Amino acid sequence: MRQPGDWMQNPTDDRILEVLDSGLELGPAAIGHNIDRSRSWVSQRLSVLVEYGLVTEAKPGYYGLTDDGRRYLAGELDASNLDN
C-alpha cells in the first residue's frame, strides 16, 4: 500500500508518477493530457515531486521517475519521510 506524504496532492501526484512509470521521459503537456489535468497544474506538481526526489528532470522540460519514485509506487517507501 502506498504511503503518501502530507505534502502530496493525490490522486494527481500518484497519477503523474504512474504515467512516468512507463519508462518514458515526458513533458507536462503530455502528462497532463494523459491524466486529464492542465499543463500548468502538472508543471507545479512536477516541481514539488522533483524537490522530494520522486521525479527527476532528465533534460529541460522532460521528466522521468527516480528509483525512490518507483519504490513509492510499489509501496516500499513512505513519502512522509522524504525531505525537500
Side-chain angles (χ1 to χ4, degrees), residues 5-82:
D6 292 339
W7 53 270
M8 295 181 82
Q9 295 288 318
N10 278 326
T12 301
D13 287 357
D14 276 4
R15 293 178 69 202
I16 290 170
L17 296 171
E18 289 163 356
V19 168
L20 291 174
D21 196 32
S22 66
L24 298 174
E25 294 172 354
L26 300 170
I31 296 168
H33 174 76
N34 284 287
I35 67 169
D36 197 30
R37 296 286 187 264
S38 71
R39 182 206 55 78
S40 60
W41 179 245
V42 170
S43 290
Q44 291 174 0
R45 296 312 308 157
L46 283 167
S47 295
V48 174
L49 293 168
V50 167
E51 279 184 47
Y52 282 91
L54 298 178
V55 171
T56 186
E57 189 169 12
K59 58 184 176 181
Y62 289 88
Y63 298 84
L65 197 61
T66 64
D67 288 339
D68 278 350
R70 285 183 194 82
R71 289 180 49 227
Y72 167 76
L73 288 176
E76 300 169 356
L77 176 78
D78 183 345
S80 63
N81 292 329
L82 297 174

